[in-house]
């Protein structure tokens, strides 16, 4: 709920972007659950040979499943525009960062998710999801600081809820200890 509160005033989005982000979150949750299952199941665990390979295989399958969407969404028709931008990158009059930003964005996203999959191997799925929620709040605050944006009170409240909820989750076992059995 905290991330929703922090983002509620950011109303300059498209419904298609919201639907895509929601779909991406559902897919990421599914991917995390499946990766956790694969890394725990005897036989599969040995066949895959590690969390890094699990993420690599998941990425390959995701790419294969997304290929039809390129045609369904009409993005394939825009390939000539993209190729022209790619080839013009760095020439006079262009921003000059398309290739670098595209490659680095893909590389850092892949590495972040591989590390996330390795972490998932060591913690529960719920803990992983809670940590992702905290990560979003920290990114909101970090971006506001890095880009010199003001933090409206509603944004601060939302981030506080998300980070506070993560903290409470982390200490919940210590707060509610099971009572010792009488002998």
């Amino acid at each position: 709920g905290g991330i929703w509160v922090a983002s509620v005033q950011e109303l300059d989005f498209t419904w298609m972007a919201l639907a895509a982000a929601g779909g991406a979150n559902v897919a990421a949750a599914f991917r995390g659950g499946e990766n956790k299952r694969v890394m725990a199941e005897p036989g599969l665990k040995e066949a895959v040979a590690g969390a890094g390979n699990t993420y690599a295989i998941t990425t390959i399958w995701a790419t294969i499943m997304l290929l039809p969407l390129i045609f369904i969404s009409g993005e394939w028709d825009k390939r000539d525009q993209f190729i022209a931008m790619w080839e013009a990158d760095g020439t006079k009059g262009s921003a000059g960062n398309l290739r670098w930003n595209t490659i680095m964005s893909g590389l850092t996203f892949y590495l972040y998710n591989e590390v996330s999959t390795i972490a998932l191997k060591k913690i529960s799925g719920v803990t992983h999801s809670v940590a992702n929620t905290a990560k979003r709040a920290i990114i909101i605050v970090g971006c506001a600081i890095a880009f010199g944006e003001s933090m409206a009170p509603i944004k601060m409240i939302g981030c506080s809820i998300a980070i506070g909820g993560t903290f409470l989750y982390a200490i919940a076992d210590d707060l509610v200890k099971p009572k010792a059995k009488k002998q």
Side-chain angles (χ1 to χ4, degrees), residues 42-133:
L44 272 178
K45 180 171 71 172
E46 292 79 17
V48 171
N53 287 347
T54 302
Y55 181 68
I57 292 167
T58 305
T59 301
I60 291 167
W61 276 112
T63 302
I64 291 168
M65 287 189 268
L66 284 173
L67 285 175
L69 288 177
I70 294 170
F71 301 101
I72 294 168
S73 66
E75 293 301 314
W76 182 255
D77 298 333
K78 298 176 185 176
R79 73 185 178 288
D80 293 332
Q81 291 171 302
F82 178 77
I83 291 168
M85 286 189 320
W86 188 265
E87 289 173 351
D89 188 44
T91 62
K92 189 171 182 152
S94 73
N97 294 324
L98 178 64
R99 290 180 188 172
W100 172 256
N101 289 345
T102 301
I103 292 166
M104 292 309 296
S105 173
L107 182 63
T108 55
F109 183 76
Y110 182 89
L111 291 174
Y112 156 75
N113 279 291
E114 185 169 334
V115 169
S116 178
T117 303
I118 292 168
L120 180 61
K121 182 178 181 182
K122 299 178 187 301
I123 60 177
S124 77
V126 174
T127 300
H128 194 262
S129 293
V130 171
N132 268 332
T133 300

